[in-house]
Amino acid sequence: MVDKELRERIIALIHREVVPAIGCTEPMCVALCTAKATEKLGCRPDKIEAYLSANILKNAMGVGIPGTGMIGLPIAIALGAIIGKSEYRLEVLKDLTPETLEEGKTFIAEDRIAIRQKQNCCDKLYVEIICSAGDKSASAVIAGGHTRFVDETTGPSAQADSAADSEVVALNLSLVHDFATTAPLDEIRFILEARTYNMNAAREALKGNYGHNLGKTIDRPLSKGIFGNSIYCHIISRTASACDARMGGAMIPVMSNSGSGNQGICATNPVCVYAKENENTEEELIRALTLSHLTAIYIKQSLGKLSALCGCVVASIGSSCGITYLMGGDYEHICFAVKNMIANLTGMICDGAKPACSLKITSGVSTALLSALLAMEGKCVSSSEGIVDDCVDKSIHNLTSIGADAMCKTDDMVLNIMTSK
């Protein structure tokens, strides 16, 4: 068993990285920064300037803003100034009303918002908001994490929440597995909140027509004639449905992972559906969810919060580990599942947050199930094939170095295509 002090640090890490969020986390991050700058200004601003990293722009351009029926950054920024409360973190816009929505639309129509790419920005996650009213102005900066306010006078190294820096935990897959499978149950039971949030989001999708309705489409008779009325069908339907609702602008919170609601959904719903239909115990579900979420957190430590690599790759690796555990797999089986995932999904690009993310999540979850089944048969992609290494942690770092470093030019090209259409 992992010793108590280390367990406490890992639990604190999970609490920081697995948090509720309403809507896509990139526009919510911008709205949060706007709310903070407005609070520092002390009144509603007349003008707002937003300077954003390329990855923030990419992930915020085409996604629905919850409760508004609108997409993109202008309405998120306007509402951040009008109703946003920084204490709400990634639920910053939860006080939205029809009246304040109209105020936000008016704010945009009056041309009070300027959005620009931050030049020579080294941080892929960077938001700088300057609010002004009369001769007064105030600013706020978020960098390195979706809720990580920094002191703009000294740069991103001056983190507002210094406790987070002191709680960095160097993870590896063996430690992740040991923690998830041996920690006292009462210490990790809180992870069931992810099930509550994210399965509720899947149910919410059935009440409307969100995004591309992928989850509902998979549930329809024609699809069941193709996929069958199977655990597989139910897993991809419930996962895609939650993504449909979130990306389509439903005013519901989801439990995010490492700053991404879709990653939180993808690390949660496949595990929950499999556990229910396989009649696993609550303890097994808790441990599988912990394994899934902590695996995703571990991979993101070297990949970074935002990258050219689609986050569904990371979260699907987590869910594959969780499902392998629920199938009765041991650590060796879980290592096999991870290697199988890396051999298959590496290279899937992130071209921004949008309703079509549900398609990529479905691809990731399908691969997660395939990788788990193959692992339970004792089959694993070998180190003579592609980027997979004998060491599972080296395999993971091969994946993340491709996503964080080698795909940087891909990221530039994707943004150029998106902004030139």
Side-chain angles (χ1 to χ4, degrees):
M1 179 183 289
V2 179
D3 69 77
K4 189 173 189 300
E5 180 184 356
L6 183 53
R7 290 202 314 272
E8 289 175 350
R9 294 176 62 209
I10 293 172
I11 289 167
L13 173 65
I14 297 173
H15 277 303
R16 285 198 306 276
E17 300 293 354
V18 181
V19 298
I22 293 177
C24 176
T25 49
E26 277 70 56
M28 291 306 105
C29 167
V30 178
L32 173 63
C33 198
T34 305
K36 173 67 81 172
T38 301
E39 289 164 1
K40 292 168 72 174
L41 183 67
C43 63
R44 182 178 296 187
D46 297 327
K47 293 282 186 180
I48 302 174
E49 297 173 83
Y51 296 90
L52 312 174
S53 63
N55 286 75
I56 289 287
L57 284 170
K58 180 183 75 172
N59 276 1
M61 288 172 59
V63 70
I65 306 302
T68 69
M70 303 171 70
I71 64 170
L73 285 165
I75 190 63
I77 291 171
L79 293 176
I82 293 167
I83 61 161
K85 292 184 175 65
S86 62
E87 64 193 75
Y88 290 168
R89 294 162 65 84
L90 293 178
E91 295 181 280
V92 60
L93 300 185
K94 68 180 182 179
D95 289 341
L96 179 66
T97 65
E99 293 74 25
T100 52
L101 175 57
E102 291 306 312
E103 291 181 47
K105 291 178 179 178
T106 300
F107 198 94
I108 295 170
E110 293 172 347
D111 198 25
R112 296 176 180 272
I113 300 171
I115 300 171
R116 303 180 179 92
Q117 183 175 342
K118 180 72 173 180
Q119 299 302 310
N120 303 315
C121 182
C122 297
D123 200 322
K124 291 188 176 183
L125 198 165
Y126 182 90
V127 178
E128 179 181 351
I129 301 292
I130 303 172
C131 292
S132 58
D135 59 356
K136 297 194 306 179
S137 68
S139 64
V141 174
I142 287 176
H146 290 77
T147 60
R148 184 179 182 266
F149 286 102
V150 302
D151 183 346
E152 59 268 32
T153 63
T154 56
S157 61
Q159 183 173 351
D161 183 6
S162 60
D165 273 346
S166 65
E167 289 294 338
V168 172
V169 182
L171 297 172
N172 57 60
L173 194 63
S174 177
L175 175 58
V176 167
H177 176 265
D178 288 349
F179 173 83
T181 57
T182 66
L185 207 59
D186 286 345
E187 293 184 7
I188 57 174
R189 189 178 297 276
F190 67 87
I191 202 68
L192 288 176
E193 291 180 19
R195 175 184 64 176
T196 301
Y197 277 91
N198 295 347
M199 292 301 292
N200 183 60
R203 288 187 287 272
E204 183 67 26
L206 302 179
K207 300 177 184 178
N209 292 313
Y210 294 106
H212 297 293
N213 281 326
L214 179 58
K216 293 174 76 171
T217 299
I218 295 167
D219 255 348
R220 287 174 178 152
L222 176 60
S223 299
K224 288 184 178 177
I226 298 170
F227 295 114
N229 191 17
S230 62
I231 296 178
Y232 168 77
C233 178
H234 301 160
I235 285 174
I236 60 175
S237 172
R238 303 301 180 269
T239 308
S241 291
C243 180
D244 285 334
R246 176 176 177 266
M247 293 285 95
M251 194 66 175
I252 51 168
V254 301
M255 191 67 82
S256 65
N257 181 297
S258 304
S260 168
N262 281 348
Q263 285 173 198
I265 290 167
C266 199
T268 302
N269 290 22
V271 175
C272 291
V273 175
Y274 185 89
K276 180 179 180 180
E277 302 214 9
N278 195 49
E279 298 182 353
N280 289 98
T281 66
E282 183 178 75
E283 176 176 350
E284 289 168 337
L285 172 60
I286 291 169
R287 296 196 183 282
L289 281 173
T290 302
L291 177 61
S292 179
H293 277 275
L294 193 55
T295 298
I297 292 168
Y298 162 42
I299 298 172
K300 292 291 281 190
Q301 283 184 333
S302 54
L303 180 63
K305 296 291 185 184
L306 298 176
S307 75
L309 185 71
C310 178
C312 87
V313 175
V314 174
S316 296
I317 292 173
S319 61
S320 189
C321 292
I323 289 170
T324 302
Y325 171 80
L326 292 173
M327 289 178 172
D330 59 17
Y331 178 65
E332 183 179 29
H333 292 114
I334 287 165
C335 290
F336 283 5
V338 171
K339 292 179 183 181
N340 292 338
M341 290 291 294
I342 291 171
N344 193 335
L345 280 187
T346 298
M348 183 183 287
I349 65 167
C350 171
D351 54 346
K354 59 202 175 302
C357 286
S358 60
L359 291 164
K360 293 188 177 186
I361 278 183
T362 298
S363 296
V365 172
S366 298
T367 304
L369 288 162
L370 180 64
S371 297
L373 285 169
L374 198 60
M376 292 305 294
E377 290 290 325
K379 303 296 184 182
C380 172
V381 175
S382 71
S383 60
S384 63
E385 303 173 75
I387 66 168
V388 171
D389 192 90
D390 286 328
C391 170
V392 68
D393 294 295
K394 185 67 166 64
S395 298
I396 288 170
H397 287 286
N398 290 343
L399 166 73
T400 59
S401 57
I402 288 172
D405 302 322
M407 292 176 71
C408 287
K409 288 189 73 66
T410 300
D411 223 11
D412 294 339
M413 178 62 73
V414 167
L415 183 63
N416 182 58
I417 291 170
M418 292 173 64
T419 55
S420 300
K421 289 190 293 185

